[in-house]
Amino acid sequence: MVRTRFAPSPTGYLHIGGARTALFCWAFAKQLGGTFILRIEDTDQERSTDASVQAILDGMHWLGLDYEGPYYQMQRLDSYRRAAERLVQEGKAYYCYATRDEIDQLREAQRARGEKPRYDGRWRPENALKLGLKIPNNHQPVIRFRNPDSGVVVFNDLVKGAITVANTELDDLVIMRADGIPTYNFGVVIDDIDMQITHVVRGDDHVNNTPRQINIYHALGAVVPEFAHLPMILGADGERLSKRHGAVSVMQYFEDGFLPEALNNYLARLGWSHGDAEKFSLRQMVEWFDLAHVSRSPARFDPEKLHWLNQQYLKETDDDRLADLVAPFMQRIGVDVAIGAPLSQVVSLLKERVQTVEALAEAAVYFYRAVAPHMNDQQLHYTAAVHLPLMALHQTFESLPWERTQIVQAIKSVVAMHQLKFPQIAMPLRVMVSGGTQTPSVDVTLELIGRTQVLERMAQQLEFFPHLAAEH
């Protein structure tokens, strides 16, 4: 049974890179009928926060990635202690009493000689005996793993291919700190053994940790899982992804009005592909996903492509669901959607014109309250030639059955009577009622805004005509 895990550290929010890793782990497990586990690696007590844990959980929930767990490392300290003590008893690990100052001096001397900084194994039992080292009374030891002195570590990365590392390149790493908390490389191995993880899918910044972890698996007599290291994500400019590229919290994309299905779809295409498919659902991704089609090359994050994809999903989103999503954004900008057209009808009219839910909310404002037109639009469209026709139209609207076919017919009648072209009336009318020149069909727009608001806004704007018309 395939078992994968996503194991973020709660020292910050769930960012784009982590979300993609979680998505790939989740899809791989689902595709093979396996289990996906969420594990919170919270052993960095100085930097881990409850707020970060909640941000991770919120992000996973919003993306729709269900999981077993979450499990927390700080609740599993006994497991790490037992495993470390077992390794000590079997001679595969040992207590090291070297102080931080001693380690720093050792590394400085190695650098001065042009050597690679590394622990010299001085507290290996046979070395300590040879050097005559005495156990200090006032210093708590760490536990170091006794790395093999010879041979190589070979593993077949399911993305990168065969990787070989000589054991002489690896020193004896600390596996348990003096305070009884495991280091990263030890904690993840014990967790993955206890949780029966079969496939470790993670970012390629962990490639160098893998040989060390494999040696710990062997020392414990445990089955080594398969490893797959995902290439990093770069910004559109080829630089390492950062906040300026869009590497913000996953929940920031929620705050900015993106749909989770759009973000999932976009993340899936960052380093993985299924033929030429650009747009697909999570269900389709699960059907198609495999690690063989994960690229070995870094992916590039393109915000414009994400916006385009979000727009495609917005167009297809059910109007009632979309109205529920838009409502909080409307409230945020102080718009009361209870007074005005049904929000589901408004979003249906506007959703093909915007790329985010936030932009949809901003575009919908004029359906619920008057928006002051820009002076340039007034000067351009409020001409003497259309002043009287618009006054006549205002009068006609007062008694007109308020339905789009009646509205458009009234506009056409005024246009014909005054020998004008339809846009000559429709454009200033748009400016009057919406505050701008870009709206859906003017008849539908007026119908949804409602007769009372249309008449009030027209009357208010018609007051500008004598002054502005004189300037033309």
Side-chain angles (χ1 to χ4, degrees), residues 201-258:
V201 181
R202 58 190 178 187
D204 64 3
D205 53 328
H206 289 292
V207 169
N208 291 337
N209 293 322
T210 305
R212 294 181 177 278
Q213 294 172 9
I214 289 175
N215 282 337
I216 297 173
Y217 278 103
H218 289 319
L220 290 167
V223 175
V224 180
E226 301 265 20
F227 291 93
H229 290 93
L230 309 175
M232 70 171 59
I233 303 173
L234 304 177
D237 56 4
E239 298 295 323
R240 189 177 184 87
L241 194 65
S242 64
K243 286 185 178 180
R244 67 186 177 88
H245 297 110
V248 295
S249 166
V250 164
M251 294 310 293
Q252 184 62 51
Y253 284 93
F254 164 74
E255 293 292 334
D256 291 344
F258 287 83

Side-chain angles (χ1 to χ4, degrees), residues 135-150:
I135 296 177
N137 294 324
N138 58 351
H139 182 65
Q140 286 295 319
V142 299
I143 299 178
R144 287 186 181 270
F145 176 69
R146 186 177 184 125
N147 197 75
D149 296 320
S150 60

Side-chain angles (χ1 to χ4, degrees), residues 4-8 14-30 35-39 56-57 59-61 63-67 199-203 228 230 233 250 264 267-268 282 285-286 289 291:
T4 66
R5 48 71 164 182
F6 175 54
L14 177 61
H15 56 77
I16 287 296
R20 185 192 64 167
T21 297
L23 176 63
F24 282 20
C25 289
W26 178 87
F28 182 75
K30 293 289 184 180
T35 301
F36 169 66
I37 291 169
L38 176 63
R39 187 170 71 223
I56 292 167
L57 299 180
M60 296 291 286
H61 176 73
L63 291 173
L65 305 182
D66 56 313
Y67 50 81
H199 294 77
V200 175
V201 181
R202 58 190 178 187
L230 309 175
I233 303 173
V250 164
N264 276 326
L267 291 176
L282 268 183
M285 182 188 180
V286 168
F289 189 78
L291 292 170

Side-chain angles (χ1 to χ4, degrees), residues 41-160:
E41 298 190 342
D42 55 351
T43 54
D44 186 344
Q45 291 295 281
E46 290 185 1
R47 298 173 59 216
S48 296
T49 66
D50 291 340
S52 294
V53 171
Q54 192 60 52
I56 292 167
L57 299 180
D58 290 344
M60 296 291 286
H61 176 73
W62 183 63
L63 291 173
L65 305 182
D66 56 313
Y67 50 81
E68 176 184 302
Y71 300 102
Y72 296 86
Q73 285 190 322
M74 287 303 292
Q75 297 176 3
R76 293 177 34 77
L77 296 183
D78 285 347
S79 294
Y80 312 128
R81 178 183 51 78
R82 287 193 299 268
E85 289 175 351
R86 171 189 160 190
L87 290 175
V88 171
Q89 292 169 3
E90 295 177 356
K92 298 171 182 176
Y94 57 91
Y95 295 105
C96 173
Y97 294 87
T99 65
R100 170 56 59 188
D101 287 343
E102 289 175 327
I103 297 298
D104 289 343
Q105 292 171 13
L106 168 65
R107 290 173 175 168
E108 287 178 12
Q110 290 170 330
R111 291 190 187 97
R113 296 192 298 267
E115 300 173 359
K116 178 182 177 181
R118 54 187 290 141
Y119 176 68
D120 60 2
R122 63 181 62 181
W123 277 98
R124 282 190 176 192
E126 68 276 16
N127 293 341
L129 182 63
K130 187 185 302 182
L131 294 169
L133 299 180
K134 303 297 183 182
I135 296 177
N137 294 324
N138 58 351
H139 182 65
Q140 286 295 319
V142 299
I143 299 178
R144 287 186 181 270
F145 176 69
R146 186 177 184 125
N147 197 75
D149 296 320
S150 60
V152 295
V153 180
V154 180
F155 66 99
N156 181 49
D157 191 290
L158 297 178
V159 173
K160 295 181 173 296

